[in-house]
Amino acid sequence: MDQKEFYTILRKYREGIATPEEIAFLEAYYDLFEVEENVLDGMEDKAKAQLKNTIKVGLSEQIAAEERKSSSKVIWIKKWAAAAAALLFIGFASYLFTKQTTTNLASKPEEQVAQLDISPGGNKAVLTLANGSSIILNDKENGLITQDAGAEIVKTKDGQIVYRSKQSAQNAALNMISTPRGGQYQLTLADGTKVWLNASSSIKFPTVFTGAERKVEITGEVYFEVAKNRNMPFKVSSAHQVIEVLGTHFNINTYDDESADKTTLLEGSVKIHKLNTEGKEENISTILKPGQQAILAANAKVFKVSTADEEAAVAWKNGYFKFNRDNIQTIMRQVSRWYNVDVEYRGKISEDLFVGKINRSENVSEVLRILQLSKINTTIKGDKIIITN
């Protein structure tokens, strides 16, 4: 890429016709200016200032245009094409500048790098058997892990846990799989129901299903694809509600630090019963249709049912964050759980709203970019992120 091509991209960016890869390239460059002023040492100061200002003006104009569309300030997150931006950067830097930069992340001491970024979570979980013993699943090799109360517990080659009931099984025992902060996991229950656990979540379930019902208990956030069995309804219990289904796909978010429990139905039908403080069903319930979400706020007497943002509800299960006019605290709760970090706020908490999506496989710095666009300062210190407005 020569200088003419580079400024062609700048012009397209200003006119709003740049491709996603070109946008990602320019945004990556602006980030280099913000974080590493000496990364372009080979460029003259005047040219560097002009380039920085050109990109900054383009970013500011895009943000301002989005603000005018809403009565409240909304910061739009770009869909970062990291690989494409990196390739463009390498080609441009080697061609346009004669002096190669020697100050980069790779050349910094290892302990300093650890303070600059935090890696994302991964497949981590603990299996607790009926006798109370625990197995760290991410440490186990593929194949048969153990047997418990009429079921074989197998780890598949893609890292999932599958329960296979024996034909002669009559008695069931309760097992539990739990994920830590920075963990997620997928399993298949003995009836074929598929379960995805988000970070800081758990599910308690029988090794085999017997009797008239299939009952499980959860905490945190869990996505279900329930195997159909009209003769044996499937029930999911959490602290404040019970969900009853025959066969369906739905997501339930019951984190203690969220303001409400949210149940989002993607397929089938579910009936949700409210529980009292003693864990007993009250005479309060609602039935969801596909595309609806039920919200049960703390101390609420009824469910609030509305049209769901299905993509946002299951984004975590599909490998990314999606924010839909979310405030900074909502975003940082997700960050805290997935990156296993604590969050500290200093100064007034921003009232900006954020929209967009980012891959959960990115380091935490990619998520923090959205806050920096709103001029919110972020600092990583060990396992803590400090937010300063």
Side-chain angles (χ1 to χ4, degrees):
M1 178 185 290
D2 59 19
Q3 191 171 27
K4 182 178 179 180
E5 289 175 308
F6 179 75
Y7 282 104
T8 297
I9 293 176
L10 280 179
R11 177 184 58 78
K12 291 170 67 178
Y13 184 88
R14 294 290 302 278
E15 294 175 357
I17 59 175
T19 67
E21 289 79 11
E22 291 167 339
I23 293 172
F25 166 61
L26 293 178
E27 289 173 333
Y29 254 95
Y30 186 70
D31 249 54
L32 289 173
F33 280 122
E34 292 294 291
V35 178
E36 290 288 343
E37 283 289 346
N38 57 357
V39 76
L40 299 178
D41 280 344
M43 197 175 188
E44 294 181 0
D45 290 342
K46 183 177 180 181
K48 186 191 296 184
Q50 289 176 339
L51 178 59
K52 179 177 180 179
N53 185 65
T54 300
I55 300 174
K56 183 176 182 179
V57 168
L59 285 171
S60 299
E61 288 180 351
Q62 282 200 346
I63 292 172
E66 295 299 342
E67 289 176 10
R68 288 193 293 269
K69 296 178 183 178
S70 174
S71 58
S72 58
K73 187 177 180 184
V74 180
I75 305 303
W76 291 81
I77 306 164
K78 302 301 174 188
K79 192 175 181 180
W80 295 90
L87 289 173
L88 283 168
F89 171 74
I90 292 170
F92 177 67
S94 62
Y95 191 99
L96 185 59
F97 303 126
T98 57
K99 181 179 179 182
Q100 297 295 320
T101 178
T102 56
T103 305
N104 54 48
L105 205 58
S107 66
K108 295 181 184 296
E110 184 175 346
E111 64 274 14
Q112 188 173 354
V113 172
Q115 298 296 312
L116 295 178
D117 218 340
I118 297 173
S119 299
N123 289 335
K124 305 171 187 176
V126 175
L127 166 64
T128 303
L129 301 174
N131 62 9
S133 61
S134 297
I135 299 173
I136 300 176
L137 296 176
N138 36 302
D139 290 345
K140 287 293 182 180
E141 296 183 357
N142 301 339
L144 180 65
I145 292 178
T146 189
Q147 300 184 56
D148 194 18
E152 293 182 340
I153 306 172
V154 178
K155 185 175 182 180
T156 63
K157 61 182 180 180
D158 55 358
Q160 301 178 31
I161 293 298
V162 176
Y163 276 70
R164 297 173 179 167
S165 59
K166 299 177 181 178
Q167 291 184 350
S168 59
Q170 296 294 326
N171 298 319
L174 288 179
N175 281 189
M176 182 172 71
I177 290 181
S178 56
T179 56
R181 288 203 310 181
Q184 64 181 12
Y185 223 81
Q186 184 179 347
L187 67 144
T188 301
L189 303 178
D191 67 334
T193 292
K194 295 181 179 180
V195 180
W196 285 258
L197 295 174
N198 203 351
S200 296
S201 303
S202 70
I203 180 170
K204 186 181 293 185
F205 56 94
T207 52
V208 295
F209 290 102
T210 60
E213 296 178 326
R214 295 172 288 169
K215 293 182 178 180
V216 301
E217 298 177 18
I218 68 161
T219 64
E221 185 166 24
V222 186
Y223 177 82
F224 288 91
E225 292 184 357
V226 178
K228 294 182 179 180
N229 185 341
R230 293 189 176 278
N231 298 321
M232 189 182 291
F234 194 95
K235 290 188 175 182
V236 181
S237 297
S238 60
H240 307 115
Q241 60 185 30
V242 175
I243 302 173
E244 182 178 351
V245 303
L246 295 175
T248 188
H249 298 182
F250 65 99
N251 188 81
I252 177 169
N253 183 327
T254 66
Y255 286 118
D256 289 339
D257 58 356
E258 298 292 345
S259 61
D261 290 354
K262 296 181 180 179
T263 305
T264 307
L265 182 65
L266 283 77
E267 179 183 306
S269 178
V270 299
K271 186 174 184 179
I272 313 174
H273 300 270
K274 186 179 183 299
L275 299 180
N276 61 23
T277 55
E278 297 177 352
K280 297 181 179 180
E281 290 186 15
E282 297 185 11
N283 191 27
I284 299 172
S285 64
T286 189
I287 296 176
L288 291 186
K289 298 177 181 179
Q292 291 184 327
Q293 182 180 78
I295 299 175
L296 182 62
N299 302 318
K301 296 185 179 298
V302 296
F303 291 93
K304 179 182 177 181
V305 177
S306 60
T307 301
D309 182 341
E310 297 179 41
E311 184 185 6
V314 299
W316 68 269
K317 175 248 182 187
N318 294 327
Y320 59 93
F321 298 102
K322 184 183 179 188
F323 307 123
N324 188 1
R325 301 181 65 83
D326 290 322
N327 61 34
I328 188 174
Q329 291 170 298
T330 298
I331 291 173
M332 294 311 295
R333 284 195 295 270
Q334 295 184 49
V335 169
S336 175
R337 289 190 284 260
W338 181 235
Y339 291 93
N340 189 20
V341 295
D342 294 323
V343 179
E344 178 182 334
Y345 297 91
R346 295 181 180 176
K348 182 181 178 181
I349 297 177
S350 170
E351 296 180 358
D352 292 346
L353 303 178
F354 299 85
V355 176
K357 54 183 165 183
I358 297 175
N359 199 309
R360 283 188 11 144
S361 64
E362 300 285 358
N363 287 347
V364 75
S365 60
E366 292 298 317
V367 183
L368 298 182
R369 290 176 193 269
I370 64 177
L371 307 182
Q372 294 164 357
L373 284 175
S374 189
K375 301 304 179 185
I376 296 172
N377 297 317
T378 63
T379 305
I380 302 173
K381 289 189 176 181
D383 59 356
K384 178 186 288 188
I385 296 175
I386 300 172
I387 306 293
T388 308
N389 187 14

